[in-house]
Amino acid sequence: MTNLPNIGKPATNALQQLDITTLEQIAMHDEKTLLKVHGIGPKSIGILKEAMAGHGLHFKEVMKESATHGVDFAVFCDFNCDNAPKKRIIRDYLVASASGERVALENVLEESFVWNVPGEFQIKGREAFIKELQANLQEISSLEIQSLLTHGKEGSAHGIVINKKGKHVYFSDIFTFKSNKKDAKISELTSFVVIEQ
């Protein structure tokens, strides 16, 4: 493994928060996504590109992905969900909920959607959920979806959201879909959240 070159403290810290410490790990990501991470700019990308070229490495090619179109934060996840439609729905929900994108949320949530945060609260109705979400939006630097699983009417995901101040929010979500159909919308979500103090 090849250590990162000197790219400046803000960029180094931003990558360390994502557990990226080597050029080989950098090569697993695309340039466009990394530029969305707070603290990483064109200068540090140029230094990384030059260092990677010296080791026969390069940035991952940018994939066209409608789920992240228009979001101003980095999204790290497996975008190969074409053979698993419900994984794509969960992924699209996670990106839309982080960005507060109303239309994208309406596309994946049932009108009677219920959000449960055990020991905290329950919100009933898609419209009430979207209003609550938009009222509490944070400026996000990155969203990392570490796993996505689906089977029948159920699914789960977990990952980390890092805001632009560097605070980590760890989440684990359990999804229930309206039916077994591949294009079924999400009818219920139970979320477990740990916010770094």
Side-chain angles (χ1 to χ4, degrees):
M1 293 289 174
T2 311
N3 290 335
L4 297 175
N6 184 1
I7 55 174
K9 192 169 185 168
T12 300
N13 289 343
L15 291 174
Q16 285 176 346
Q17 286 193 359
L18 295 167
D19 291 326
I20 298 173
T21 57
T22 68
L23 288 178
E24 290 79 6
Q25 290 172 310
I26 289 287
M28 296 169 61
H29 302 289
D30 67 82
E31 184 177 343
K32 184 178 176 183
T33 298
L34 288 174
L35 277 168
K36 290 182 178 181
V37 176
H38 183 69
I40 299 176
K43 183 177 179 182
S44 54
I45 290 292
I47 295 168
L48 288 168
K49 193 181 288 188
E50 188 176 316
M52 288 192 310
H55 289 87
L57 298 169
H58 54 83
F59 285 109
K60 186 177 177 179
E61 284 187 39
V62 177
M63 295 179 65
K64 287 187 175 182
E65 190 50 58
S66 61
T68 61
H69 180 71
V71 300
D72 64 351
F73 53 86
V75 178
F76 300 100
C77 75
D78 179 7
F79 286 109
N80 297 318
C81 299
D82 290 336
N83 62 347
K86 286 187 176 164
K87 280 187 178 182
R88 186 173 57 246
I89 291 168
I90 290 174
R91 180 205 60 206
D92 290 354
Y93 161 78
L94 292 169
V95 173
S97 67
S99 64
E101 174 54 46
R102 172 179 285 281
V103 173
L105 289 166
E106 289 173 346
N107 286 337
V108 297
L109 300 177
E110 282 291 318
E111 200 170 319
S112 59
F113 174 75
V114 176
W115 184 32
N116 300 297
V117 179
E120 297 293 327
F121 58 83
Q122 179 183 73
I123 295 177
K124 294 183 179 182
R126 179 177 67 199
E127 186 59 30
F129 170 74
I130 292 172
K131 283 182 181 176
E132 178 70 17
L133 194 67
Q134 290 179 335
N136 292 289
L137 277 181
Q138 301 282 315
E139 285 193 328
I140 293 174
S141 178
S142 65
L143 163 64
E144 180 183 357
I145 303 169
Q146 296 175 326
S147 75
L148 273 172
L149 303 169
T150 61
H151 182 75
K153 289 175 57 175
E154 298 174 338
S156 67
H158 80 273
I160 306 168
V161 173
I162 303 175
N163 72 17
K164 290 198 174 176
K165 293 179 181 176
K167 185 178 277 191
H168 290 59
V169 177
Y170 304 90
F171 67 88
S172 180
D173 289 332
I174 302 166
F175 297 85
T176 303
F177 291 88
K178 183 177 181 179
S179 71
N180 287 328
K181 291 181 180 178
K182 66 181 182 179
D183 61 348
K185 290 184 177 184
I186 300 165
S187 61
E188 188 170 348
L189 169 62
T190 300
S191 297
F192 298 90
V193 180
V194 176
I195 302 172
E196 180 182 63
Q197 299 299 321

